[in-house]
């Protein structure tokens, strides 16, 4: 009898946790700073459970040879701490993580590991469609031309 109760309780907890989980995907465009503003485009895919989320993000900042601003491609895995439910249609989050980057300017390039931290908000628009605004600071390891890069973006987010 006790074993049955424990099994039933475990099943209910598992079902509750699974129903609270959600996923989302974001396509974005923005600007990377240091040394000059340049366009950045990317994609993020994540999953969350109440206040904790996990996300993988790929982004590509364009090169500007005339101002010696290198291109920067990043592939980062992040952990998000977020509000469990939207507040006035907005879900706020803070994030930190790490991964791989590739910086390139002309024939010079650096591929190494890096870290990032930042935060943002997902704003409900209609149904599962949300706008997303994000700010990140990247700290690049190795010998990049610019070891700290700031980025801001706006994107379209789909929750599923």
């Amino acid at each position: 009898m006790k074993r049955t109760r424990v099994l039933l309780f475990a099943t209910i907890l598992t079902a509750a946790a699974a129903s609270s989980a959600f996923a989302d995907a974001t396509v974005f465009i923005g600007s990377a700073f240091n040394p000059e503003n340049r366009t950045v485009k990317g994609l993020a895919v994540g999953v969350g459970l109440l206040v904790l989320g996990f996300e993988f993000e790929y982004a590509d900042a364009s090169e500007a040879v005339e101002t010696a601003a290198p291109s920067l491609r990043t592939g980062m895995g992040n952990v998000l701490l977020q509000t469990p439910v939207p507040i006035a249609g907005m879900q706020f989050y803070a994030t930190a993580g790490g991964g791989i980057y590739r910086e390139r300017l002309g024939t010079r390039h650096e591929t190494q590991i890096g870290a990032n931290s930042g935060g943002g908000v997902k704003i409900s628009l209609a149904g599962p469609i949300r706008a997303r605004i994000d700010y990140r600071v990247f700290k690049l390891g190795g010998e990049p031309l610019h070891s700290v890069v700031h980025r801001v973006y706006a994107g379209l987010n789909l929750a599923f």
Side-chain angles (χ1 to χ4, degrees), residues 17-152:
S19 66
S20 299
F22 67 93
D24 67 4
T26 305
V27 291
F28 60 84
I29 188 165
S31 185
F33 311 98
N34 300 26
E36 295 289 325
N37 293 349
R38 54 206 191 283
T39 302
V40 62
K41 295 176 258 183
L43 170 70
V45 179
V47 63
L49 179 62
L50 291 178
V51 298
L52 188 63
F54 302 94
E55 176 178 75
F56 175 77
E57 177 192 276
Y58 170 79
D60 185 11
S62 58
E63 176 180 5
V65 177
E66 61 280 355
T67 58
S71 68
L72 179 64
R73 288 188 180 158
T74 59
M76 299 280 168
N78 297 299
V79 175
L80 285 84
L81 290 176
Q82 57 197 1
T83 56
V85 293
I87 301 167
M90 297 181 287
Q91 185 176 28
F92 298 91
Y93 63 89
T95 183
I100 298 173
Y101 78 88
R102 181 172 182 92
E103 180 189 71
R104 182 182 297 232
L105 182 62
T107 59
R108 185 191 186 287
H109 58 85
E110 176 79 6
T111 302
Q112 192 53 265
I113 60 171
N116 73 85
S117 60
V121 62
K122 298 174 186 176
I123 305 165
S124 297
L125 297 176
I129 300 171
R130 303 182 288 187
R132 182 171 176 182
I133 300 170
D134 187 278
Y135 172 76
R136 304 274 172 110
V137 177
F138 292 84
K139 297 192 179 192
L140 309 177
E143 297 180 24
L145 293 171
H146 304 281
S147 61
V148 177
V149 177
H150 298 261
R151 182 189 75 197
V152 64

